[in-house]
Amino acid sequence: MLIDAANLFARKETVSKETFDSAVQDMSSEEKDSLLWALLQHRNSDIEKLQAMRKEMFGTSSEKGQTLFEHLFNETETVEEIEELLEQDEDQAADTKQKKPRKRMSGVTSSLPVVKEDKYPEDPEFLAHKDEMIQLTSDVQRTVEFVPARYYVKETTYHNFVWKISEDEQKFFSPQKPARLLERSMVSASVAAHLIHEKAINGMPINRQTLDLQKKGFDIDRQTVNNWALRTSQDYLVPLADHMLKDFRKLHTVHMDETGLKVLEIFRNGGNSVSTMVVGASGPFEKRQMRIYRFFSGKGQTFVQEVLSDGFTGNLVTDGAACYENWTNAHNGLHPDMAVVHAGCMTHARRKFVEAAEVRTDYQEYRKLGKKKQAAYLAEHPGLKSLVDVIELIAGLYRIEKKCGKGKLDPQEIREAREKEAVPLFCQLTKHVEKMREEYPPSGKAGQAVKYFLSRKESLSTYLKDGEIPIDNNKAERTVKPFVIARKGFLFSDSKRGAEATAASFSVLQSAVDNGLNPEKYLKWVLEKLSSEGLKDSVMDEAVPYSENLPADLYVKKKK
């Protein structure tokens, strides 16, 4: 009879009272209790979904807001600040929190070149008796100046000569001409580097750059500017990015993530409206630091194999998407001698519990209370307390990671610290989450968070066994972020080759930033080098952003 009553909830049409009475009239008291509990779970799930919809529509999209979890864990704060907030009331913490000392402008501008200029009085009386004057202490005024970008046509005349040695012998002399960047094109490496830099680093679409050029008096159409950027990326950056991908597959620890990109050409031909931009990043202890962007048509999950290939062996850090775990299992089955270790992301697990707490009605009351009253409030609301306890335990795991980073420990020392401190804490976290399995309906936010954690328990604990593996996949998410910001400007790609060129430009320039290079200056140097020396592997080995043989002046000068 309980099954008959439960089937009423599966109906999409309205259920009458007579139908309900007929379904429950022969039920035992235990079955009615079970039905009541199911009704309460269904009600709680609906409330959570409504709160989640309200937060999605009207709430903030960031986790940095003033929430109850700010004193437990905040990615933008230091561990010392978190511990301070744990010991103080939120209002008191806001009053006692010390402000960072303001930087002096003399220190901020120390990396800029200085142009000196002397000024003297122009008064006629001063000029007439200048030799009689006694100079006093001089006043020095400093201002930061900006010279706007300037486009000009460089016209170089190559003078050719002939030397007539005799009537039967002559010799010609001509200056060496540098190779053109693009065949039958006037574009220079400096212009192409600027166009690509503005899109991949500053997120400015090509059409907006064209409008800016036109405003500065450069009468040029969008198609020409687009061709300059596209052809340069295809001819030079795509081969360089392919070369970087080969090096990426040789790393021991890598991060991966993905996001969407609309490509009109694929959509017009009947393909998916959204394709996939895959990103990869080096692990924190890798000598070769790089960021890889690869475009793949459609939303298929074969991109993991195409990026890593059969030769990869090492640690793969990702979020909870099933494609990564599936690829790891398939790879290890086919190549047991080149095993891959898959590690999960603790940030994603934590985020699920944060979302589960934020959609609760008692959370709104909780956040209005001071810390002294919050403990008593949690004792009266055990459901909320379970979620807060989970996030507090995860915050403890991150404190350990912060301490390891601050101490600049090597992988072996990190593994030992985790084994001593993090392993017991993770076991406590796992036991706590397992107890929550029966407390929350699986369809609700909290139930989904519990299911997410327990189903990925093995991958989430992988980092405890290897000091080279980070606790989360935040580096990959930070790699995705510049592309997502730029995508808000250009919205979509017209063609597949345009999407591939965009991926290549992001790979080269974001890797340049990661290695402390001036990205635009570096790209200009790369284009000049590749256009003159060719695309041989030996040349590209010297040109990649993580090469140890790059000119010193390509790096950003840092304060001593």
Side-chain angles (χ1 to χ4, degrees):
M1 298 304 298
L2 182 61
I3 296 176
D4 294 337
N7 288 336
L8 296 177
F9 298 102
R11 297 186 182 181
K12 295 182 179 180
E13 68 273 9
T14 303
V15 178
S16 65
K17 185 177 184 302
E18 291 78 9
T19 304
F20 179 80
D21 291 340
S22 175
V24 302
Q25 62 181 353
D26 296 329
M27 291 176 60
S28 64
S29 59
E30 291 81 4
E31 289 177 327
K32 289 181 179 179
D33 289 342
S34 299
L35 177 60
L36 179 60
W37 175 237
L39 283 168
L40 289 174
Q41 287 186 319
H42 192 271
R43 172 183 174 276
N44 291 339
S45 179
D46 287 343
I47 291 175
E48 286 185 351
K49 290 177 182 177
L50 178 60
Q51 293 286 354
M53 290 174 62
R54 286 175 176 171
K55 183 177 183 298
E56 184 177 354
M57 294 179 64
F58 306 112
T60 59
S61 59
S62 173
E63 297 179 22
K64 297 179 183 178
Q66 296 290 332
T67 71
L68 78 159
F69 307 112
E70 187 174 42
H71 70 287
L72 300 177
F73 179 84
N74 190 318
E75 295 169 5
T76 62
E77 294 180 327
T78 62
V79 172
E80 290 78 10
E81 290 171 329
I82 295 174
E83 292 174 346
E84 179 184 354
L85 291 173
L86 279 168
E87 298 172 356
Q88 302 180 30
D89 181 89
E90 287 184 354
D91 298 330
Q92 181 183 357
D95 295 334
T96 59
K97 186 177 178 181
Q98 296 182 353
K99 294 182 178 179
K100 294 182 179 180
R102 184 177 178 182
K103 294 182 179 179
R104 296 180 60 85
M105 284 304 296
S106 58
V108 174
T109 60
S110 61
S111 60
L112 299 178
V114 178
V115 177
K116 294 186 177 182
E117 183 181 28
D118 293 308
K119 290 286 187 180
Y120 294 93
E122 298 179 358
D123 188 280
E125 187 175 4
F126 168 80
L127 297 176
H129 302 278
K130 184 177 180 180
D131 295 338
E132 304 174 25
M133 298 290 174
I134 300 175
Q135 185 167 347
L136 304 177
T137 303
S138 301
D139 298 325
V140 179
Q141 183 184 47
R142 293 182 177 88
T143 57
V144 179
E145 302 290 337
F146 171 69
V147 179
R150 184 170 64 99
Y151 291 87
Y152 63 93
V153 176
K154 181 180 180 180
E155 184 176 286
T156 304
T157 302
Y158 295 90
H159 298 276
N160 304 308
F161 296 88
V162 59
W163 177 26
K164 292 189 176 182
I165 302 174
S166 64
E167 293 183 359
D168 300 326
E169 184 181 1
Q170 58 185 11
K171 190 173 183 180
F172 293 92
F173 295 88
S174 298
Q176 185 176 1
K177 294 182 182 179
R180 284 190 178 272
L181 182 68
L182 301 177
E183 188 177 355
R184 297 191 299 275
S185 174
M186 291 179 63
V187 66
S188 64
S190 60
V191 171
H194 181 70
L195 294 174
I196 297 171
H197 170 273
E198 289 300 292
K199 180 176 180 178
I201 298 297
N202 294 333
M204 183 177 288
I206 295 297
N207 62 332
R208 198 177 302 168
Q209 293 188 58
T210 304
L211 292 175
D212 185 59
L213 291 173
Q214 293 171 349
K215 291 175 183 177
K216 293 175 180 177
F218 192 177
D219 187 15
I220 191 170
D221 60 276
R222 184 178 70 89
Q223 189 62 44
T224 300
V225 178
N226 185 70
N227 284 338
W228 285 353
L230 179 60
R231 289 179 57 194
T232 301
S233 297
Q234 284 183 312
D235 290 357
Y236 300 104
L237 301 190
V238 169
L240 186 60
D242 290 341
H243 190 83
M244 291 171 59
L245 180 61
K246 296 177 182 178
D247 292 338
F248 183 76
R249 292 166 176 165
K250 299 175 184 177
L251 300 177
H252 186 253
T253 301
V254 300
H255 297 257
M256 284 187 67
D257 202 353
E258 73 286 333
T259 186
L261 175 64
K262 296 180 180 179
V263 180
L264 298 185
E265 178 187 17
I266 296 175
F267 179 65
R268 293 193 199 102
N269 294 333
N272 291 339
S273 58
V274 179
S275 295
T276 305
M277 183 66 74
V278 180
V279 304
S282 305
F285 290 98
E286 295 294 339
K287 187 176 181 181
R288 294 179 172 183
Q289 287 296 318
M290 67 186 82
R291 302 191 181 216
I292 299 295
Y293 297 76
R294 304 293 291 186
F295 171 76
F296 294 93
S297 302
K299 297 290 289 183
Q301 298 184 356
T302 60
F303 62 82
V304 186
Q305 171 64 23
E306 295 185 47
V307 170
L308 297 179
S309 78
D310 293 334
F312 177 76
T313 177
N315 304 317
L316 173 61
V317 186
T318 72
D319 58 19
C323 57
Y324 300 108
E325 185 71 30
N326 294 340
W327 178 84
T328 302
N329 294 334
H331 173 88
N332 292 343
L334 293 172
H335 309 282
D337 56 329
M338 296 188 296
V340 172
V341 176
H342 178 238
C345 177
M346 191 65 71
T347 296
H348 278 76
R350 170 191 171 272
R351 190 175 299 155
K352 300 288 184 182
F353 289 99
V354 170
E355 293 172 352
E358 289 181 337
V359 299
R360 294 177 62 95
T361 54
D362 51 5
Y363 158 74
Q364 305 299 333
E365 294 297 326
Y366 177 89
R367 65 178 299 186
K368 297 176 184 177
L369 302 174
K371 190 175 188 303
K372 295 180 180 179
K373 296 182 179 180
Q374 286 178 349
Y377 188 87
L378 288 178
E380 299 173 358
H381 297 79
L384 179 61
K385 185 177 184 304
S386 293
L387 295 172
V388 173
D389 288 344
V390 170
I391 300 166
E392 196 166 358
L393 289 169
I394 295 176
L397 294 174
Y398 272 91
R399 289 193 188 97
I400 297 169
E401 296 303 303
K402 190 72 175 182
K403 185 167 62 175
C404 292
K406 189 175 181 180
K408 298 181 179 179
L409 305 185
D410 61 35
Q412 178 61 26
E413 293 171 328
I414 292 175
R415 190 194 66 79
E416 293 173 357
R418 288 172 176 172
E419 185 175 356
K420 180 180 178 181
E421 302 179 46
V423 170
L425 193 59
F426 186 87
C427 292
Q428 183 182 350
L429 171 64
T430 303
K431 291 179 181 178
H432 184 77
V433 176
E434 287 175 344
K435 291 180 181 179
M436 296 171 63
R437 197 201 311 253
E438 302 300 328
E439 299 177 12
Y440 300 94
S443 59
K445 284 283 186 179
Q448 292 174 6
V450 170
K451 180 180 178 181
Y452 183 94
F453 182 91
L454 294 179
S455 63
R456 295 166 175 81
K457 180 175 59 176
E458 295 300 323
S459 63
L460 290 173
S461 64
T462 300
Y463 86 100
L464 299 170
K465 308 167 189 175
D466 189 338
E468 290 190 16
I469 302 177
I471 189 174
D472 54 40
N473 196 36
N474 284 354
K475 188 170 184 181
E477 294 200 2
R478 289 193 295 269
T479 303
V480 170
K481 188 175 181 179
F483 177 79
V484 172
I485 293 174
R487 187 182 60 195
K488 291 181 179 179
F490 59 76
L491 299 179
F492 54 82
S493 181
D494 287 330
S495 63
K496 180 181 176 181
R497 64 175 189 153
E500 293 171 346
T502 298
S505 62
F506 269 84
S507 295
V508 175
L509 287 175
Q510 291 297 333
S511 295
V513 173
D514 220 24
N515 285 276
L517 295 162
N518 179 322
E520 184 172 351
K521 191 174 182 180
Y522 161 75
L523 182 56
K524 177 179 178 291
W525 177 85
V526 165
L527 295 178
E528 291 174 342
K529 182 177 181 65
L530 297 183
S531 62
S532 60
E533 299 182 26
L535 300 174
K536 299 184 293 291
D537 286 345
S538 58
V539 176
M540 289 194 283
D541 282 337
E542 298 175 352
V544 290
Y546 43 85
S547 170
E548 298 180 353
N549 300 318
L550 296 175
D553 63 338
L554 297 182
Y555 291 89
V556 177
K557 292 183 179 180
K558 298 181 180 180
K559 294 186 295 182
K560 296 183 180 179

